[in-house]
Amino acid sequence: MFEDKTLTCKDCGEEFVFTAREQEFYESKGFVNEPQRCKPCRDKRKNAGKAPREYHETVCSACGGAAKVPFIPRDDRPVYCSECYAKMKENSDAE
């Protein structure tokens, strides 16, 4: 029915394979056009409009060490470093 096709990316010019499975998926979704970009170029284009994540430095409420978090810490809520957070999550999952 479907066979793998080699296509050329219109952004980078590299060849990529449009697999038979991908073709079946495209057909099931009603897509009529083949992809014009390879996966890395599609991902790059998709993420182009997104702002990079901003991290904030704070002090871990458990161990007192440095912690970087992707949100603005508030004084009324504890903030944990990655290690302490993982330990707390592990302990709560065990219960």
Side-chain angles (χ1 to χ4, degrees):
M1 201 152 105
F2 293 105
E3 292 183 16
D4 291 358
K5 291 182 184 179
T6 301
L7 304 175
T8 304
C9 178
K10 79 177 202 177
D11 286 351
C12 68
E14 294 289 321
E15 290 186 343
F16 65 98
V17 177
F18 185 35
T19 66
R21 189 173 196 165
E22 290 172 323
Q23 292 173 50
E24 288 177 32
F25 173 78
Y26 270 54
E27 184 179 84
S28 73
K29 294 295 182 184
F31 301 149
V32 293
N33 297 322
E34 295 177 341
Q36 297 182 2
R37 293 175 179 85
C38 61
K39 177 81 168 121
C41 287
R42 285 195 313 261
D43 291 344
K44 190 167 115 180
R45 183 178 165 103
K46 184 169 66 171
N47 294 325
K50 294 181 183 177
R53 184 172 253 183
E54 183 180 332
Y55 285 89
H56 304 274
E57 291 194 23
T58 188
V59 176
C60 175
S61 298
C63 70
K68 281 189 176 183
V69 294
F71 56 88
I72 297 173
R74 297 185 345 206
D75 290 335
D76 63 332
R77 307 254 339 214
V79 177
Y80 304 102
C81 66
S82 299
E83 292 85 22
C84 292
Y85 182 78
K87 286 176 191 172
M88 289 177 56
K89 186 162 175 57
E90 188 177 288
N91 290 339
S92 69
D93 288 347
E95 293 174 2

